[in-house]
Structures are given as structure tokens and as C-alpha cells.
Amino acid sequence: QWGMEVLAAQQMMGVWLFIAIRRHLQHVVSHLEVGTSPTGWFGVCGNKGGVVCRFKLDTKWYCFINAHLAAHQQKVKVRNENYHTIMATSLFSCSPFSIPAHDYVFWFGDLNYRIDLKRQEVCEGLGLEDCSLLLHQDQLNKQKALGAAFQWFNEAPIEWTPTYKFKRDVYVSKRRPAYCDRVLWTEEAQRLRHFHCESDKPSWTCRQCAGFAMVTPIAYQSLREVQHSDHKPVFATFDVREALLV
């Protein structure tokens, strides 16, 4: 009765997106659409980009994006451009036509943003078990604060060490550890409320807008025990406070 069924599965080269749903909710799903938005070589290759799935669950619209953005320390602007390309090219056949117009958007994957510190400084922060120092210099956090990319997206507090780059369970000596792998979300009601808010703080830190948030992060963690990749996988769980008419 409470089992899961695959609602959608889509691949773009090495980027996969699977959406599963509990069986008793299948009958309230409609307007399912999946697509890809490549941003790799010459802007058309799928080695980088996003896989997108959207659907209506009862009365609310949900959109999920698994993205693999441009690599390398200095490619911050390219990663930002990848984000805007996925946003601009992911269009749907009926309203809501664009990603931001959905009630709830969850964006995750290897976003590839790095830490603007020398490797020795990163290792010193790890030795002190001070993730706050590393996160203060995290490129994604900086770009959000500047409004250059992901400015309307929330992220749960990170309380784990960088997820890249590993050989088994040891950081590779020639690479700077980084928080490449992330899970973000945004919700339209909170964004709209913030347009009328007098606070100059981002919506995800604004106390005046917090009461309009329907999404609560339950868990956000890295799985250090996984050793068959140079990344450590990240998972997140959320509580979306929506009443379903089922």
C-alpha cells in the first residue's frame, strides 16, 4: 500500500534523474514532463547541463533539476552561465512554463563550485574541524550573495566536510577539497512575499518571510562510507507542509 513507483527516469550522458512516488499518490499526479538542457562543449554536448522533471501533485507544482555544471577552480562565471542557461532553456508545454514559476523547485547535483582558499588553508580548516571558514569562502555561497546565480535558492546548514576530491577515503593531494555536491530548494510563495519585504536580507535568512516557508529541511548529510567515486554522495530530506486532497 505504501510502496513506491518510478514516476519518471531521464538520462543525459552521465546525469540521471529518477523521480519516485508513493503508489497511493499516483492518481493525483498530472502534467508530467521531463527534458534535458545541455551546456557542455559548444553549448550542445550533454557532458554538462541539467535534467529536469516537473509535475503537478494535487494542486501544487513541483520541479526537480539534477545538474552537472562546469568544472575547475576558475570557472565560476561559466558555472553561473550554466545555471542561467538551464533556467532559460527549460520550458514546458503549459503553464507554469518556466522553472521559477513552479510552487516548489529542488535543484541538486555536482554544481562544481569550489573553495577560494589555497589547498594548505583548506587543510588547515579541516584540521581545526572548522567548516565555517571553508563555507565562508565557498564559491556558491558567494555567488548567491552577489545575486549572480541561485540567488533565490535556500540550502540547509552544511555540517560536514567537503565532498570532493577523494581516492577511497582520502583527499587527493593535488586537488583542493570542495563542496561540489549540493541540494538546494526554492518556493514561489516565499519569493513573492520577499518582493514586498522591507528587509535587505536574502529570503532564506529573512525572519519576516520565514513564516511563509512551507519547506522544512529534515536532514542534509554526506555519506563518507561510499568509496567507489572521487565524490562523496550527498542526500537531503524535506517536509513540505501541503495538505493533499486524496
Side-chain angles (χ1 to χ4, degrees), residues 27-145:
H27 71 285
V28 291
V29 174
S30 62
H31 299 85
L32 174 69
E33 294 186 53
V34 294
T36 60
S37 179
T39 63
W41 298 311
F42 306 107
V44 296
C45 187
N47 66 312
K48 296 292 188 293
V51 179
V52 183
C53 175
R54 79 86 172 259
F55 55 89
K56 189 177 184 182
L57 178 62
D58 199 13
T59 62
K60 297 296 182 179
W61 292 90
Y62 293 77
C63 187
F64 296 85
I65 306 100
N66 183 14
H68 188 192
L69 307 186
H72 304 302
Q73 182 79 26
Q74 72 278 13
K75 298 289 187 179
V76 179
K77 290 185 178 180
V78 181
R79 287 189 274 278
N80 294 348
E81 291 170 0
N82 291 167
Y83 161 78
H84 289 291
T85 296
I86 295 170
M87 277 289 200
T89 60
S90 299
L91 302 175
F92 306 102
S93 62
C94 65
S95 180
F97 294 103
S98 64
I99 291 174
H102 288 70
D103 294 300
Y104 302 103
V105 179
F106 295 87
W107 191 311
F108 44 87
D110 180 4
L111 305 187
N112 252 323
Y113 287 94
R114 309 303 171 94
I115 297 173
D116 287 331
L117 292 172
K118 296 180 180 179
R119 190 182 191 282
Q120 182 179 350
E121 294 173 316
V122 175
C123 291
E124 288 175 356
L126 291 172
L128 296 171
E129 298 184 351
D130 186 3
C131 291
S132 63
L133 171 65
L134 306 182
L135 292 166
H136 183 70
Q137 295 298 326
D138 174 74
Q139 292 177 348
L140 177 56
N141 289 338
K142 288 183 174 182
Q143 297 309 300
K144 286 172 60 179

Side-chain angles (χ1 to χ4, degrees), residues 24 80 99 125 144 161 165 187 191 207 212 236:
H24 74 286
N80 294 348
I99 291 174
K144 286 172 60 179
T161 53
K165 178 177 185 177
E187 44 188 310
R191 293 197 310 272
R207 292 185 178 179
F212 290 80

